[in-house]
Structures are given as structure tokens and as C-alpha cells.
Amino acid sequence: MMKNTLDGVISDIQKHWRGLDSYTVEHTRTQLQKLTHTSVQEPWLARLFAEKPQSQELHRDAKHGFILLAHFEKKGLYRVPHNHGAGWVFYALHSGEMRVTTYKQITSPDGYSTLVSRGANVMQPSNVTTYLPGDIHDTECLSDWVLMFRLTSCDFQEEKQSGRLIQFKGHNQDV
């Protein structure tokens, strides 16, 4: 029987999930890093590579609420600065390179708000990053394509509909 890294990672995350705390963040990061090392010979990953969907849900956890997705993105795809509302997220890169810039929203004494860059990092295969509630970041695919696993703490469509998930105009722009 062929090893299934995906099932093992999901099972282990479920077993140790405690909600938003340092233990859950570190444990989940470690498990997702295992996913980034998965061989394309595993049937579930071979299917993903054959189809290269923009987004595919791999698991939705009924008990804990987290969702694991796979995303294939093409070179130049840019997602404007955004936060994830009350949710939090892990990005785990399997293949390719992606630039992620983080921001802080600054409001001057006269009420003028703008985003200020904290700097950019280039994610490479096996990198896993975490963005907590309120963290603002953008993403840009630098390589011909990337495969990124994204584990969200909740359904971000609900965060968006509630108005908590905010997409900003773009980098270096007023809010």
C-alpha cells in the first residue's frame, strides 16, 4: 500500500488542534512542512499536478472548522493586500516561488490611513508561514507556477461576507 502523507498530516493536525495558541501554530506548521515534502508519486498529489486546479479543497474539518486547500498559481498572479478577518492561515509552499509582503495599517492624527510595508519575503519549497488575525499581506507568484497548500482556521468566505476580511486597494496606496 502506498503511503498517503495527506491523510497522515490531516489526522495529526486534528488530534492536536486546540484553536489559536502557540502549540497549535507550531504543531500545524510542522505537519504542513511534511506536506511540502510529499512525493509527486503519491496518487492524490499526482492527480493535483495532472489537473493543476486554481483552488481545490482537500479537507474541511467538521469538528474544528479548519479547511485545507491546494492552490496552483501562475507567474505574475498578484493578490492585493488583505487580512483574514478573525481567521488565521498557514501558507505551505510545495513547488515554485512566491513573494509575500507584510504591512501595518497606520492612521495619522488627522485620520489619514495608509499601509506601510514591513518588507517582503520570498517563499520557496518547504517554507511555511503563518498569518494571525489582523495580519495584512499580499502575495505574488514569481515562478512559472506554484503549488501552495493553504490551511485556514475557518471559512474565509464567511469572513468576507461579514466584512471582517478586508482587501485593500493595493500596495503603497492609501487605505
Side-chain angles (χ1 to χ4, degrees):
M1 182 171 179
M2 182 136 218
K3 179 179 177 184
N4 187 317
T5 304
L6 177 63
D7 289 346
V9 164
I10 290 169
S11 176
D12 202 70
I13 291 172
Q14 288 172 319
K15 186 165 55 170
H16 294 276
W17 189 268
R18 302 188 325 195
L20 182 53
D21 65 12
S22 294
Y23 173 82
T24 300
V25 168
E26 289 307 313
H27 182 269
T28 302
R29 285 172 51 95
T30 298
Q31 292 306 308
L32 291 173
Q33 192 161 47
K34 290 179 186 176
L35 209 54
T36 68
H37 293 288
T38 303
S39 166
V40 295
Q41 302 303 313
E42 290 192 31
W44 70 272
L45 190 54
R47 278 191 302 278
L48 273 178
F49 271 93
E51 297 169 8
K52 286 192 172 147
Q54 281 186 321
S55 180
Q56 182 174 324
E57 189 173 299
L58 302 175
H59 178 77
R60 182 176 291 255
D61 195 84
K63 180 178 179 185
H64 302 294
F66 67 80
I67 302 168
L68 178 61
L69 303 129
H71 296 278
F72 279 92
E73 298 185 356
K74 293 181 180 180
K75 187 173 190 159
L77 178 64
Y78 175 72
R79 298 187 190 278
V80 299
H82 60 280
N83 66 28
H84 294 129
W88 37 291
V89 65
F90 299 86
Y91 293 161
L93 206 62
H94 183 277
S95 309
E97 288 189 341
M98 183 170 58
R99 179 178 19 251
V100 181
T101 303
T102 57
Y103 300 88
K104 173 76 174 166
Q105 184 174 351
I106 303 296
T107 303
S108 67
D110 63 358
Y112 174 78
S113 289
T114 189
L115 294 183
V116 177
S117 171
R118 293 178 182 262
N121 291 305
V122 175
M123 290 185 69
Q124 297 179 329
S126 82
N127 289 164
V128 180
T129 58
T130 309
Y131 299 96
L132 301 176
D135 286 349
I136 302 168
H137 58 282
D138 65 12
T139 63
E140 181 180 6
C141 179
L142 299 177
S143 52
D144 288 340
W145 57 270
V146 298
L147 168 56
M148 177 180 59
F149 298 112
R150 188 173 75 142
L151 188 140
T152 64
S153 63
C154 59
D155 188 333
F156 285 173
Q157 290 303 320
E158 293 174 15
E159 288 300 299
K160 198 172 192 175
Q161 289 171 354
S162 74
R164 290 185 297 263
L165 186 153
I166 300 168
Q167 291 177 303
F168 298 87
K169 296 175 188 174
H171 56 80
N172 299 325
Q173 294 187 10
D174 300 336
V175 176

